[in-house]
Amino acid sequence: MTKRLPERGAAWADIKGRLEASKAGDYAWNRGRLPLYVYWRDEELCQVAREAASMFFVENGLGKRAFPSVQQLEQEVVAMTLGLLNGGAHSVGNFTSGGTESIFLAVKTARDFARAERRIAGRPKVVAPQSAHPAFDKAAHYLDMEVVRTPLRKDFRADLGAMKEAVDENTVMLVASAPAYPHGVFDPVEEIAGIARAKDIWLHVDACVGGLLAPFVRDIGYDVPPFDFSVEGVTSISADLHKYGFTAKGASIVLFADATYQKHLRFHFSDWPRGNYITDTFLGTRAAGPVASAWAVMHYLGAEGYREIARTIMETKARFAEGIAAIAGLEILKPNDLSFLLYRSVDDGVDIDGVAEGMADRGWFVGRCNAP
Ligand SMILES: Cc1ncc(COP(=O)(O)O)c(C=O)c1O
């Protein structure tokens, strides 16, 4: 692409029109045609999220002393998330830019904790089920660690035996997802926590998708297995606000069961002409907009609003499931937890890729799964 910075600026009205026009080829997320990337209830809620973010458009989350407002909002958002996920009196957390950063920080903290407290000498290792998000491999890649992927059971949940077998003296973290993205099922967190306790290994629960949805789905009467700090042995949790928290993008929380882990998270550099540089996130300068957006949306919806959304999601899923089940040659993949719904062709009855392409022609964005 050859594109040069224009010599002369243009009028905002013209630029705005061109930005609008640039979206012409995008999928219609606000007409229910996009089952991923966008979490959207309606224009009313979106406006709260957007206006709150724009009120803090200029502020910088790096400047804790300059912007006590941002720090206060951030602490309150972390506290509310801890409350939802059964944090204890000594639990702590950080606001991050997304699931990937939350996972990166958890992996880094587990690695440094193991090196300092357990004197791990070899290349640190993460043991994760095949279905865990690639962010664990990305973190390990940056941190010079290894990820051992273990096979899934027939029901797509983590296989305990395989995980136990993969653990060795360099293992610094076990991973469980709540739920994992490929099939939308929870791993058996309580059982994996049993291994973590027995072998004294860090357990990270990736609730990036489920963290802000599962508590409310449980509240309205669905079966949701224990997955958070209520399970003894869970050391850290990632939970995305920019997914089922319905806030502006750039918003996730990483939580630690105990404040003592935080020293292994912190980056501190003092050999610098400007003095101390200390951060608890990967980023330096950080957008404050997503912090304000999260605070505002959480107050706007309250638990009641989130329960209402959970009800809509679960009822919509049931209607989809009923419709798909009525089509010969298709079957719903089971089990499926929370909002997730996958379907496939049975007995080669339907050309499933043809279905995806046909729906794409009609404006639907169809996510596909390779295995199965
Ligand atoms: C289970 C799970 N973990 C982590 C992530 C990564 O989150 P992000 O894309 O916000 O970095 C995702 C994203 O879909 C996910 O589904």
Side-chain angles (χ1 to χ4, degrees):
M1 178 185 280
T2 53
K3 171 82 182 173
R4 293 172 70 97
L5 178 70
E7 180 57 33
R8 286 225 181 94
W12 167 234
D14 171 44
I15 294 166
K16 190 174 171 189
R18 283 155 63 190
L19 283 175
E20 289 289 355
S22 75
K23 297 186 180 195
D26 293 355
Y27 283 81
W29 49 266
N30 53 356
R31 288 197 295 117
R33 294 290 190 266
L34 187 70
L36 54 160
Y37 301 128
V38 168
Y39 298 75
W40 194 78
R41 189 191 73 175
D42 53 23
E43 189 48 42
E44 179 193 314
L45 181 58
C46 190
Q47 195 180 337
V48 173
R50 192 191 290 125
E51 271 191 34
S54 70
M55 283 176 72
F56 281 76
F57 181 75
V58 176
E59 283 77 1
N60 186 338
L62 178 64
K64 286 192 166 31
R65 276 192 302 128
F67 306 112
S69 58
V70 180
Q71 203 181 2
Q72 177 72 23
L73 297 176
E74 193 166 310
Q75 282 169 356
E76 291 186 17
V77 170
V78 168
M80 287 189 278
T81 311
L82 268 174
L84 286 175
L85 299 175
N86 289 301
H90 302 292
S91 304
V92 292
N94 283 83
F95 197 102
T96 76
S97 61
T100 301
E101 189 186 0
S102 288
I103 288 169
F104 177 88
L105 294 174
V107 173
K108 180 251 186 264
T109 308
R111 183 197 68 171
D112 291 1
F113 168 77
R115 278 184 176 156
E117 314 284 337
R118 292 179 49 216
R119 311 248 168 246
I120 294 265
R123 194 167 182 230
K125 193 159 132 180
V126 173
V127 172
Q130 203 73 55
S131 53
H133 195 271
F136 291 96
D137 297 75
K138 193 179 197 174
H141 176 73
Y142 288 149
L143 294 164
D144 193 20
M145 297 166 65
E146 184 189 349
V147 180
V148 177
R149 293 282 187 158
T150 56
L152 305 178
R153 304 187 318 212
K154 280 206 170 63
D155 62 0
F156 311 117
R157 305 189 201 278
D159 184 318
L160 285 184
M163 287 187 80
K164 208 184 276 182
E165 212 163 283
V167 170
D168 67 14
E169 71 281 3
N170 291 321
T171 304
V172 301
M173 178 186 268
L174 297 173
V175 175
S177 302
Y181 197 73
H183 313 105
V185 298
F186 279 69
D187 287 323
V189 173
E190 283 186 302
E191 286 88 339
I192 298 173
I195 308 177
R197 287 197 306 271
K199 297 189 181 278
D200 193 20
I201 298 173
W202 187 292
L203 170 58
H204 181 81
V205 174
D206 180 13
C208 279
V209 173
L212 271 283
L213 178 60
F216 304 109
V217 169
R218 183 189 283 139
D219 272 1
I220 59 170
Y222 292 84
D223 228 9
V224 173
F227 68 94
D228 56 21
F229 289 127
S230 60
V231 180
E232 199 191 332
V234 172
T235 325
S236 56
I237 301 178
S238 43
D240 287 358
L241 301 169
H242 64 198
K243 293 191 171 79
Y244 286 107
F246 289 87
T247 72
K249 282 181 188 56
S252 172
I253 301 289
V254 59
L255 301 171
F256 298 94
D258 198 281
T260 54
Y261 297 120
Q262 216 156 19
K263 68 173 182 280
H264 303 289
L265 161 72
R266 185 151 295 170
F267 177 78
H268 186 173
F269 187 70
S270 53
D271 186 16
W272 197 39
R274 287 292 298 260
N276 282 326
Y277 182 91
I278 302 169
T279 57
D280 288 333
T281 50
F282 184 82
L283 303 183
T285 286
R286 290 191 297 130
V291 177
S293 182
W295 189 92
V297 169
M298 289 170 101
H299 281 83
Y300 185 74
L301 287 175
E304 208 175 38
Y306 280 112
R307 276 195 292 273
E308 209 43 56
I309 289 177
R311 194 166 286 118
T312 305
I313 288 172
M314 296 310 281
E315 287 173 5
T316 306
K317 171 178 161 174
R319 284 178 57 202
F320 266 106
E322 204 182 311
I324 292 165
I327 298 171
L330 291 183
E331 90 174 352
I332 307 282
L333 213 62
K334 286 184 186 149
N336 50 66
D337 295 327
L338 301 184
S339 54
F340 283 83
L341 186 71
L342 284 83
Y343 58 95
R344 64 174 164 188
S345 68
V346 271
D347 309 326
D348 291 329
V350 171
D351 169 10
I352 201 72
D353 287 313
V355 171
E357 281 151 27
M359 287 185 70
D361 290 343
R362 290 162 178 79
W364 293 79
F365 188 96
V366 181
R368 301 192 206 187
C369 188
N370 286 339

